[in-house]
Amino acid sequence: MCGIAGCFNWDSQAPADSTALRRAAERMVLRGPDAGGFYEKPGVGFAHRRMSVIDLAGGQQPMVDRASGVALTYNGEIYNFRELRETLCQRGHRFETQCDTEVLLRAYLEWGSACLGWLVGIYAFGIVDPRDETLLLARDRVGAKPLVYARTSQGIVFASTVAALRAFDEIGTELDSEAVLHYFTTIRTTFGRQTLLKDIQTLEPGNCLVAIRNPRSAVCLPYWEFPIVSEGDKHTPLMDEAVNTVHDMVSRAVKEQMVSDVPLGGFLSGGIDSTVIASIATRHGTFGAYSVGYGEHGCNEWPYVRLAAQAFDMSCKEIHLDASSFVQTWKLLIRQKGLPLSTPNEIPIYHLARALKQDYTVALSGEGADELFGGYVIPYFSATDFDRARRTPLRTDDLPNRVDRAMMRFYQQPHLPNHVEHHFLLNSWIGSALQSTVLHPELLERTGAVHAHYESLMNRFAGCSTLDKHMHLHARINLEGLLNRVDSSTMAASVETRVPFTDHRLAEYLFGLPDSCKMIWRDAVAQQQGRLMNVAEIDQRNLVESKVLLRRAFKGKIPAEIMARKKVSFPVPFREWLGGSLRAFAQETLLDSRLIEQTVRPEALRAVLDAPESPAAGMLLWPLVNLALWEKECLI
């Protein structure tokens, strides 16, 4: 993996900004510790930091085709590069290296922007073509690799990180209020194309940007998305057929992603996803892993990690963390990203990757399995709540029925008026009721824009089942957040992370299957028991089987105790720390922040600081301190 940056000027004779390109490269050294390179011509400049993984001696970037002058700067891995190379050779291309970079360059020379349809992998790249004076920016289908850009008076600038992009002139620090409100709501640092800074946009997954000098224009275009298939048009194979297909597709994805010229290992959590990857990887070569956890408050999964390692006779080193390095790492990651963190998990992921770097340069990780196979019981199976609940409030003279009471026990209201409100009731870090007491009214005025964005997404899924709508929304929002998290945290430790479950061919297959292949009642008895329960009670009693196809495809191949586990999020005791050992740090950081003063009501801030040990305050402190640290480390 690498770090990339570049500028494309509207004036074809304008000199590239050499100083900005070098500043951008310096800010991405950890993403590419092995080498650096620059390409500068009138009207265009590229910067590149390389982490050598394939063809260590070759593949230096930026790479230029001598005949056409087409230049490429690229971050990622093309997993099918050998097959593409063979196809291109048959079409008359000749290669000077063994790397996937040259394959990507020649694929563009052969097919133009249509080359994106040939790629299997994770990538973000920029290609300048002097023949028609165009710039092509592209990001992989699911968003494993980041790419941000800005439109300036001079043209287009882009980079792998916000921190690197801000090396260019004309990029200010004015906040995007809609994105900031969305961050408080979801802890996501992007909101569609918007980022927390008005001047900077993110290229969305499965999109490309085409910039043309004459006439001056820059247009973002989608080239792929998760298939939206109406409920009546879903393919319904026999269960055995679907199970075998999934087994083969997951196995192929893991095997393809083990191609590396440097040592490759993995992350092992003791959950189903990472254990499935380990079960396949150990069949195809030497494969070791690392695991991380905290000794406090039971925030670890060591027994299951050891069980998985023993089952596959693999080494797995355990990294035991505590609060001592939490703040230092927090600041480091914010500086590297140029953005606040999303979840507290980013910090232990960084330590996990830094430890893994002692033995490996590349790691396999299990992100994406929950979004593709149906792993989140409460967000997804809450479809049963929505389909049963009333749409309007109870009238004053109505008596609640048993379903109403079940909804009130979980949602504090008997009605679920629409899919968007239901989504935010389930998935908000800070819910709307709490926001109204914490945030300044000026910020709350943007609530309509946030809801409108989600409504536009939900409208696209109109023909899908309720469960499928939730899965589509998570695939576009939650998955991108998870992949950004793992990319920024591991690249800060100079580790390349690959995510086999996000293979787009697997995604296309799974989103074409019915709900019964994702999540189902365990049996008729469970369905009867759950008839008058809400989804939280259903989940608590373990009445639902999640990830139906993944569990059945690898039944008997991973330990039964792990297969039977419920979903467990990566636990970090941040609330206890912010209310305890890190209380003084949090208070000092917040009281010294102008950004917090501009976004949070003074009385609400005081209430949080006076009782930081309370659960509600702990959840509030995470985004508040993140924004304050971001201001201090990056914006001042």
Side-chain angles (χ1 to χ4, degrees):
M1 297 298 173
C2 306
I4 64 173
C7 56
F8 178 79
N9 294 331
W10 299 130
D11 182 355
S12 62
Q13 298 306 309
D17 191 340
S18 297
T19 302
L21 288 169
R22 278 152 182 78
R23 279 201 306 260
E26 287 171 5
R27 295 176 186 183
M28 298 186 294
V29 168
L30 292 178
R31 294 186 68 89
D34 298 327
F38 299 91
Y39 168 82
E40 296 178 46
K41 294 285 185 181
V44 64
F46 287 166
H48 189 268
R49 290 298 316 182
R50 186 186 186 198
M51 182 188 300
S52 303
V53 172
I54 301 290
D55 187 8
L56 307 188
Q60 284 74 20
Q61 293 191 51
M63 185 173 283
V64 183
D65 175 60
R66 288 189 293 272
S68 64
V70 171
L72 164 70
T73 184
Y74 152 61
N75 167 34
E77 298 291 347
I78 307 301
Y79 300 128
N80 65 332
F81 78 97
R82 290 195 173 108
E83 294 88 340
L84 279 178
R85 179 189 175 102
E86 184 176 340
T87 299
L88 290 164
C89 284
Q90 292 170 357
R91 293 172 179 251
H93 290 267
R94 296 293 175 263
F95 289 82
E96 298 177 5
T97 74
Q98 300 299 315
C99 70
D100 59 336
T101 304
E102 188 179 7
V103 171
L104 175 56
L105 178 60
R106 298 200 171 277
Y108 172 81
L109 293 171
E110 179 67 28
W111 296 300
S113 61
C115 71
L116 294 166
W118 291 78
L119 306 180
V120 177
I122 53 179
Y123 47 83
F125 62 80
I127 291 179
V128 65
D129 192 335
R131 297 172 299 182
D132 56 6
E133 295 193 287
T134 60
L135 170 72
L136 172 67
L137 302 180
R139 190 174 176 201
D140 65 75
R141 293 171 176 85
V142 297
K145 293 288 104 184
L147 192 63
V148 291
Y149 66 96
R151 303 167 192 250
T152 72
S153 62
Q154 304 300 312
I156 302 292
V157 293
F158 66 91
S160 294
T161 67
V162 168
L165 190 63
R166 291 195 59 230
F168 293 96
D169 293 335
E170 295 189 39
I171 299 177
T173 58
E174 183 180 357
L175 299 182
D176 185 307
S177 56
E178 292 173 5
V180 171
L181 179 61
H182 188 249
Y183 177 76
F184 277 116
T185 306
T186 66
I187 310 297
R188 302 286 175 246
T189 56
T190 58
F191 175 53
R193 292 179 187 171
Q194 296 164 243
T195 72
L196 297 177
L197 294 176
K198 266 194 174 181
D199 290 347
I200 297 177
Q201 293 182 299
T202 182
L203 191 62
E204 294 184 271
N207 275 241
C208 63
L209 180 149
V210 179
I212 304 173
R213 281 206 177 102
N214 188 22
R216 295 181 181 182
S217 65
V219 180
C220 288
L221 301 167
Y223 68 89
W224 185 89
E225 69 174 350
F226 291 93
I228 303 171
V229 184
S230 65
E231 195 170 4
D233 292 332
K234 294 278 190 176
H235 172 55
T236 309
L238 296 173
M239 181 56 73
D240 286 348
E241 175 192 335
V243 165
N244 290 335
T245 299
V246 163
H247 180 274
D248 292 345
M249 293 185 82
V250 172
S251 298
R252 177 181 67 174
V254 173
K255 183 179 179 181
E256 286 180 349
Q257 296 189 27
M258 292 185 71
V259 174
S260 174
D261 292 336
V262 295
L264 178 146
F267 301 144
L268 187 62
S269 70
I272 295 171
D273 310 332
S274 63
T275 306
V276 165
I277 289 174
S279 74
I280 301 166
T282 51
R283 297 201 306 266
H284 295 290
T286 302
F287 183 80
Y290 275 74
S291 186
V292 68
Y294 294 92
E296 305 167 60
H297 308 286
C299 290
N300 62 73
E301 301 174 68
W302 303 129
Y304 294 101
V305 169
R306 293 161 189 160
L307 180 63
Q310 183 179 10
F312 306 115
D313 193 25
M314 59 184 288
S315 66
C316 182
K317 296 182 181 179
E318 298 174 2
I319 309 303
H320 295 250
L321 301 176
D322 56 35
S324 61
S325 60
F326 195 80
V327 170
Q328 181 182 356
T329 305
W330 195 350
K331 293 178 179 179
L332 167 69
L333 293 176
I334 286 175
R335 289 194 299 270
Q336 286 296 307
K337 293 172 66 168
L339 287 171
L341 303 195
S342 57
T343 66
N345 301 344
E346 294 187 54
I347 293 169
I349 291 172
Y350 165 78
H351 285 286
L352 177 61
R354 192 174 70 168
L356 179 139
K357 182 69 174 177
Q358 300 171 30
D359 297 310
Y360 308 106
T361 301
V362 180
L364 301 183
S365 189
E367 277 78 11
D370 291 308
E371 286 77 11
L372 269 63
F373 284 98
Y376 303 118
V377 173
I378 290 180
Y380 294 169
F381 209 69
S382 66
T384 61
D385 288 354
F386 187 86
D387 293 341
R388 289 178 294 158
R390 61 178 72 237
R391 297 289 169 259
T392 57
L394 280 168
R395 294 177 301 191
T396 54
D397 56 344
D398 284 343
L399 292 175
N401 59 36
R402 295 171 73 181
V403 171
D404 294 332
R405 290 195 291 271
M407 298 303 107
M408 292 172 70
R409 288 194 299 271
F410 184 43
Y411 300 99
Q412 287 75 57
Q413 61 188 51
H415 63 291
L416 298 173
N418 55 64
H419 289 298
V420 173
E421 183 167 330
H422 185 208
H423 172 81
F424 282 122
L425 284 170
L426 287 164
N427 298 286
S428 293
W429 188 278
I430 302 176
S432 58
L434 186 55
Q435 285 181 18
S436 65
T437 66
V438 171
L439 303 181
H440 274 307
E442 293 83 359
L443 194 58
L444 293 172
E445 289 175 0
R446 310 313 303 164
T447 300
V450 173
H451 280 253
H453 176 76
Y454 280 77
E455 286 169 6
S456 69
L457 285 173
M458 279 296 189
N459 288 338
R460 298 183 59 209
F461 317 139
C464 301
S465 71
T466 304
L467 187 148
D468 205 21
K469 288 174 182 175
H470 283 292
M471 290 193 65
H472 271 291
L473 205 58
H474 268 69
R476 285 158 176 78
I477 295 172
N478 195 66
L479 180 57
E480 183 186 8
L482 291 180
L483 295 176
N484 282 342
R485 176 187 75 182
V486 76
D487 174 83
S488 60
S489 299
T490 59
M491 291 299 284
S494 302
V495 168
E496 172 189 310
T497 301
R498 300 175 180 177
V499 279
F501 287 118
T502 65
D503 186 297
H504 77 273
R505 298 163 297 184
L506 180 61
E508 290 172 346
Y509 179 72
L510 292 171
F511 271 92
L513 299 179
D515 295 350
S516 58
C517 291
K518 318 289 177 56
M519 191 173 288
I520 57 174
W521 294 102
R522 291 203 176 276
D523 50 41
V525 173
Q527 185 173 5
Q528 179 62 24
Q529 289 175 342
R531 188 171 57 88
L532 297 175
M533 297 178 185
N534 60 57
V535 71
E537 295 163 346
I538 290 168
D539 182 46
Q540 185 179 31
R541 290 163 178 77
N542 201 23
L543 302 180
V544 169
E545 180 184 356
S546 63
K547 300 184 191 173
V548 171
L549 282 181
L550 186 64
R551 291 179 192 273
R552 298 186 185 185
F554 290 91
K555 183 179 181 181
K557 296 180 172 64
I558 70 173
E561 298 92 329
I562 293 175
M563 186 66 80
R565 290 189 71 193
K566 289 179 62 178
K567 170 70 181 175
V568 177
S569 297
F570 200 151
V572 181
F574 71 95
R575 284 179 292 185
E576 292 83 358
W577 293 342
L578 290 173
S581 61
L582 300 182
R583 179 173 183 170
F585 157 76
Q587 182 173 13
E588 179 183 350
T589 302
L590 292 174
L591 292 177
D592 195 37
S593 171
R594 182 173 175 78
L595 192 159
I596 296 301
E597 183 180 326
Q598 294 170 342
T599 55
V600 178
R601 297 174 189 259
E603 64 275 16
L605 180 60
R606 176 50 56 193
V608 169
L609 294 177
D610 286 345
E613 69 282 353
S614 69
M619 294 297 285
L620 272 169
L621 282 170
W622 175 253
L624 292 178
V625 178
N626 257 293
L627 287 169
L629 276 181
W630 175 51
E631 177 190 31
K632 183 177 181 180
E633 297 294 327
C634 300
L635 302 185
I636 296 177

